[in-house]
């Protein structure tokens, strides 16, 4: 299952039923879980811990040292969960000691051609990065987020769960959960109602999210006034609790 031209450095740990194609490189300090597929001309460096069932397409560069000029070759890490797809030319970098020294990617994500996950990012589960989408350092992306093609996310930004970033956007502020944002710089454009329906959210929950969005963005209130207006909803609706908690914890401010 390992092509003769592939290079596996001493110290790499390769799981069961792993397929590694021609001219790929697996560095020391890499742990590659069971059932992974590494196509030809892939580079995976460590320290990196990769779960099972991941598929790396040609010319992906995974676990490389980051592009932060402060980085001095410290032994930082990359952790990847299970059943992710990294398409052609995808790049994922390890962390820096200026943060937690760790880039973290969950499970069941799709990273399309030439996407980039920078150092110290935290990516959730069931996320899609469309072609050319990139996150700068220290970004956090929640579960079920879709980032449209050729979009860029500024360093330290947070993208809330179930949100949708339109193609070609530049995100410089935090995007709350459930919100669709688009443009340069990205601005809110309603809630991701279609995505929520596909994921089984009830009609009542979607209606409450829509109402919360209107309180925040349509009534001319300040953020604090909107949070006060929504406080009574948080006990009954966990979706509204997620929405308001994200806003309360935002350090960059939210898209407006």
């Amino acid at each position: 299952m390992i092509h003769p031209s592939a290079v596996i450095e001493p110290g790499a740990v390769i799981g069961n039923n792993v397929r590694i194609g021609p001219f790929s490189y697996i560095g020391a300090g890499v742990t590659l879980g069971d059932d992974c597929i590494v196509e030809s001309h892939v580079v995976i460096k460590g320290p990196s811990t990769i779960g099972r069932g991941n598929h790396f397409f040609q010319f992906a560069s995974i676990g490389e040292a980051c592009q932060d000029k402060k980085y001095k070759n410290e032994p930082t890490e990359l952790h990847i969960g299970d059943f992710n797809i990294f398409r052609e030319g995808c790049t994922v970098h390890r962390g820096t000691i200026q943060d937690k020294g760790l880039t973290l990617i969950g499970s069941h994500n799709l990273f399309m051609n030439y996407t980039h996950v920078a150092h110290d990012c935290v990516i959730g589960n069931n996320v899609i990065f469309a072609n050319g989408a990139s996150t700068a350092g220290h970004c956090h992306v929640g579960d079920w987020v879709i980032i449209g093609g050729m979009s860029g996310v500024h360093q330290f930004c947070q993208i809330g769960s179930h949100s949708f970033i339109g193609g070609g956007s530049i995100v410089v502020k935090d995007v709350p959960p459930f919100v669709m944002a688009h443009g340069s710089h990205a601005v809110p454009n309603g809630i991701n109602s279609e995505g929520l329906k596909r994921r089984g959210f009830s009609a009542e929950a979607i209606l409450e999210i829509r109402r919360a969005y209107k309180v925040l963005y349509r009534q001319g209130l300040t953020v604090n006034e909107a949070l006060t207006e929504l406080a009574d909803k948080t006990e009954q609706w966990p979706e509204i609790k997620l929405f308001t908690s994200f806003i309360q914890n935002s350090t960059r401010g939210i898209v407006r």
Side-chain angles (χ1 to χ4, degrees):
M1 303 293 285
I2 299 176
H3 194 274
S5 66
V7 175
I8 314 295
E9 292 283 8
V13 178
I14 309 299
N16 297 318
N17 196 37
V18 171
R19 192 170 80 212
I20 301 176
F23 304 106
S24 285
Y25 173 88
I26 310 297
V30 173
T31 298
L32 193 59
D34 296 346
D35 304 311
C36 286
I37 300 173
V38 180
E39 303 287 0
S40 66
H41 298 87
V42 174
V43 173
I44 304 178
K45 293 186 177 181
S48 294
T49 302
I50 298 169
R52 67 185 299 253
N54 293 284
H55 193 167
F56 302 92
F57 282 77
Q58 53 268 28
F59 310 114
S61 176
I62 308 297
E64 184 56 91
C66 71
Q67 299 176 124
D68 190 328
K69 292 178 69 176
K70 298 187 297 296
Y71 182 71
K72 303 300 180 185
N73 204 35
E74 299 91 353
T76 56
E77 298 184 32
L78 166 67
H79 290 181
I80 295 174
D82 304 325
F83 302 109
N84 297 287
I85 298 173
F86 299 87
R87 293 299 309 229
E88 298 89 330
C90 177
T91 54
V92 180
H93 291 165
R94 301 193 310 274
T96 65
I97 61 171
Q98 284 72 36
D99 202 316
K100 296 180 180 179
L102 174 66
T103 300
L104 180 62
I105 294 176
S107 299
H108 300 283
N109 301 301
L110 169 59
F111 300 92
M112 295 186 190
N113 299 353
Y114 305 107
T115 51
H116 175 60
V117 178
H119 59 88
D120 304 293
C121 286
V122 177
I123 312 296
N125 305 305
N126 300 291
V127 171
I128 297 174
F129 278 46
N131 296 332
S134 297
T135 50
H138 313 279
C139 291
H140 287 210
V141 178
D143 297 339
W144 296 102
V145 169
I146 296 176
I147 302 179
M150 306 307 295
S151 294
V153 182
H154 193 278
Q155 61 187 9
F156 293 101
C157 281
Q158 299 192 51
I159 311 295
S161 296
H162 302 282
S163 59
F164 184 99
I165 309 301
S169 296
I170 302 297
V171 180
V172 298
K173 296 286 187 180
D174 294 346
V175 179
F178 316 117
V179 168
M180 294 194 301
H182 180 252
S184 179
H185 296 152
V187 295
N189 285 278
I191 69 165
N192 184 19
S193 56
E194 191 60 38
L196 298 179
K197 292 175 186 176
R198 292 174 182 173
R199 293 163 207 149
F201 281 69
S202 68
E204 294 81 5
I206 294 173
L207 179 59
E208 290 299 328
I209 294 168
R210 194 184 306 277
R211 287 171 173 167
Y213 178 91
K214 289 180 178 178
V215 170
L216 180 63
Y217 288 114
R218 296 286 187 261
Q219 295 185 5
L221 303 177
T222 67
V223 171
N224 287 334
E225 289 170 343
L227 291 173
T228 300
E229 184 81 11
L230 294 169
D232 292 341
K233 297 281 190 178
T234 58
E235 295 300 322
Q236 181 180 0
W237 295 99
E239 297 85 359
I240 306 307
K241 179 65 174 178
L242 176 64
F243 185 72
T244 58
S245 295
F246 180 96
I247 297 167
Q248 289 168 338
N249 292 323
S250 172
T251 57
R252 290 188 59 84
I254 59 171
V255 293
R256 293 283 274 175

